[in-house]
Amino acid sequence: MKRLYLGVACALSLAWPAAAQDEKPLQTLFTNVHVFDGTSEQRIENASVLVEGNLIKTVSTEAIDAPDATIIDGEGRTLTPGFIENHAHLMLMGPSLSAMEANSTWEDFGIHATRMAEMYLMQGFTTVRDAGGANGGLRRAIDSGQIPGPRYYPSGAFLSTRGGHADFGNFTAPPGTDTNFSRLNMAQEISGVDDVYKFGRNNFRMGATQLKFMQSGGVVSAFDPWQLLAGSPEEIKAAVQVANEYGSYVMAHSYRKEAILGALDAGVMSIEHGFSFDCEIAEKMNEMGAYITTNLTAFDPGLLDIPAVKNQPSSLAKAISASATFENYIPNMKECPVKRGFQTDCVGTVEACNIQIAYEKHLNNEFFGPYQSMVTLTSIGGEIAQLSGDFTNPYTAGKLGVIEEGAYADILLIDGNPLEDFSVVGTGDQLFGADPRPDSPETIRLIMKDGVIYKNTLN
């Protein structure tokens, strides 16, 4: 009986793969579309795009023979890659750091992140890199189909020095004390190279795809001047070493020029915010092949009227000082461009972040024009995703942020031409006092991620 059972089991195990191989993956054929491929300055006119399974099989201006495919007539709309957000915090709901530290549970964070994930997907973002505060659980839930959301690249816990930008502990908490954020591995206080090794490796163990090092201070945070140079060169190099062990990289929260150059010297490949950017920094970044992501909402004049800034004298003083120092960022970026990814950096309610995302899209176009804004939203984000390497990157079957053969089928169909009228990507021209945004921009008519359609309002 045992031999018979084993024989049947072996036969079945051999038969199942054969049967699976006989099943053809589902096909979707987009016809009558103009393709923005993520890199080119002009659309591919009157094209067709064939999706097979979760990958793009063919992009052609000739008719594609796919008799078994589901056909979607784009009716002359623009087909683009799904958008990529390179700096979000899906776990951080606000309203303040102290409230999240003292009054929030893992359920609060998890429910907020679930809603944020769906909101991002419905705004056209098929990939999000989380810049601190989230581990691998949300990605598992998304990738297994339990909740809707984008591809997800979490950073695990912020790595921050005592008094640094991710020191979220209560004012009277002694050094090294457990906090709400540390217990949930959302932020960890590091003091020395050994702590970087310990918490950095634990981040990858918890599902991080890259590490986030808080090198500069901030404006609304409690203990840190924005000019702070946090973390020794040895500690930053230790973070890079740990990331390299996993075939990945480090992203650094860096404001001052000295901080940015120090991070690049240590091997950091992604500069976050980088408000003191200039042409010397650009030269070094281009030599290294490094990237920058900047939240352009920081240049909004209304920033000084935010209650969290206006009503807190220390934060107001920091904001005024920072605004004066960072005023050359945009002219410097235009004169000496580097590869810049899209960043929103919203901490707050889902509704508030929806507004901020639309405004961030708007500012990209205002400062850099529609073509560069579309590249920032797509192919550059795809390149940043690939920095996480071959075995830490959870999505290696295809490229992200482009429409080309073999790329992931992360696709939007958009009314109009975003290279001429950027508003069709779902922009908003107001941040403070803006009306609530729709759950999904009406002009984004179809959203496909990984070959699956999540929105379709075509006739």
Side-chain angles (χ1 to χ4, degrees):
M1 287 295 293
K2 289 183 178 179
R3 287 183 179 178
L4 177 60
Y5 176 82
L6 291 173
V8 171
C10 290
L12 288 173
S13 67
L14 291 172
W16 288 341
Q21 290 173 6
D22 290 339
E23 294 180 5
K24 294 182 179 180
L26 297 177
Q27 293 183 329
T28 302
L29 178 60
F30 295 94
T31 63
N32 191 20
V33 293
H34 308 302
V35 175
F36 170 70
D37 62 9
T39 61
S40 301
E41 295 190 34
Q42 302 294 328
R43 299 183 304 176
I44 303 170
E45 300 291 321
N46 302 313
S48 296
V49 176
L50 177 63
V51 171
E52 185 172 89
N54 67 339
L55 300 176
I56 295 172
K57 184 176 178 63
T58 309
V59 180
S60 178
T61 54
E62 304 294 331
I64 297 174
D65 182 24
D68 297 326
T70 298
I71 298 176
I72 296 177
D73 185 351
E75 299 178 341
R77 294 180 174 88
T78 301
L79 185 147
T80 80
F83 299 147
I84 299 178
E85 165 72 81
N86 289 118
H87 189 119
H89 298 289
L90 268 59
M91 288 285 178
L92 305 186
M93 79 291 283
S96 66
L97 298 175
S98 58
M100 287 187 286
E101 172 59 31
N103 301 318
S104 298
T105 69
W106 64 267
E107 295 101 329
D108 298 313
F109 292 118
I111 291 169
H112 176 74
T114 300
R115 294 187 61 223
M116 285 285 284
E118 183 173 13
M119 181 273 287
Y120 258 108
L121 182 60
M122 289 300 99
Q123 293 302 312
F125 289 86
T126 52
T127 298
V128 167
R129 182 179 67 161
D130 196 297
N135 298 288
L138 185 63
R139 184 181 69 234
R140 291 197 299 271
I142 294 170
D143 291 352
S144 64
Q146 296 180 66
I147 61 173
R151 301 181 191 276
Y152 194 55
Y153 287 81
S155 300
F158 301 98
L159 302 180
S160 175
T161 58
R162 175 74 172 178
H165 192 50
D167 180 353
F168 302 142
N170 295 323
F171 180 67
T172 57
T177 303
D178 280 347
T179 66
N180 192 26
F181 276 89
S182 68
R183 286 187 294 271
L184 297 173
N185 200 52
M186 296 176 68
Q188 299 292 358
E189 178 184 320
I190 60 107
S191 180
V193 167
D194 287 345
D195 279 350
V196 177
Y197 289 154
K198 176 172 64 176
F199 292 120
R201 289 168 179 151
N202 187 61
N203 275 345
F204 282 114
R205 183 180 185 272
M206 296 292 289
T209 52
Q210 65 281 324
L211 298 181
K212 172 72 174 297
F213 196 100
M214 299 300 239
Q215 192 190 13
S216 293
V219 173
V220 298
S221 42
F223 311 118
D224 48 321
W226 70 261
Q227 300 94 334
L228 179 68
L229 291 175
S232 67
E234 292 76 18
E235 288 169 331
I236 302 170
K237 288 178 181 178
V240 172
Q241 178 190 328
V242 172
N244 287 343
E245 292 170 358
Y246 285 83
S248 186
Y249 70 102
V250 173
M251 51 195 298
H253 169 103
S254 305
Y255 281 16
R256 280 175 62 180
K257 180 175 181 177
E258 296 88 340
I260 298 170
L261 290 174
L264 295 171
D265 286 339
V268 168
M269 292 299 293
S270 182
I271 299 297
E272 306 307 301
H273 312 296
F275 296 126
S276 298
F277 174 86
D278 65 12
C279 291
E280 181 183 354
I281 293 170
E283 183 177 2
K284 189 170 187 64
M285 289 185 66
N286 286 326
E287 287 175 1
M288 294 177 58
Y291 296 80
I292 192 170
T293 80
T294 306
N295 46 321
L296 301 180
T297 50
F299 303 114
D300 188 286
L303 193 67
L304 301 180
D305 293 324
I306 300 175
V309 174
K310 184 178 181 179
N311 299 333
Q312 182 66 34
S314 62
S315 292
L316 181 59
K318 287 198 289 183
I320 293 172
S321 170
S323 297
T325 304
F326 304 157
E327 63 183 1
N328 290 322
Y329 172 93
I330 293 186
N332 287 339
M333 183 63 69
K334 291 179 177 179
E335 180 182 354
C336 303
V338 297
K339 290 190 174 182
R340 181 180 57 86
F342 184 88
Q343 181 194 143
T344 304
D345 192 32
C346 184
V347 174
T349 66
V350 175
E351 293 75 19
C353 289
N354 192 347
I355 291 170
Q356 188 169 328
I357 290 166
Y359 190 59
E360 186 70 35
K361 290 177 181 176
H362 166 77
L363 290 180
N364 268 269
N365 182 50
E366 286 291 299
F367 295 144
F368 299 106
Y371 166 69
Q372 188 57 53
S373 298
M374 287 298 294
V375 171
T376 296
L377 274 167
T378 56
S379 60
I380 292 178
E383 292 177 21
I384 292 174
Q386 289 181 311
L387 292 176
S388 55
D390 294 331
F391 46 90
T392 301
N393 185 355
Y395 313 108
T396 57
K399 292 175 67 175
L400 294 172
V402 292
I403 302 297
E404 63 181 49
E405 294 179 9
Y408 275 117
D410 296 355
I411 290 171
L412 307 179
L413 269 183
I414 301 176
D415 288 340
N417 182 358
L419 296 175
E420 295 178 353
D421 176 9
F422 193 71
S423 68
V424 298
V425 305
T427 64
D429 60 4
Q430 189 176 1
L431 178 57
F432 307 109
D435 292 332
R437 298 282 306 172
D439 291 338
S440 185
E442 293 181 2
T443 49
I444 299 180
R445 303 295 297 275
L446 181 142
I447 299 171
M448 171 183 278
K449 188 202 83 174
D450 207 39
V452 177
I453 295 174
Y454 288 84
K455 173 185 178 181
N456 185 357
T457 61
L458 300 173
N459 293 330

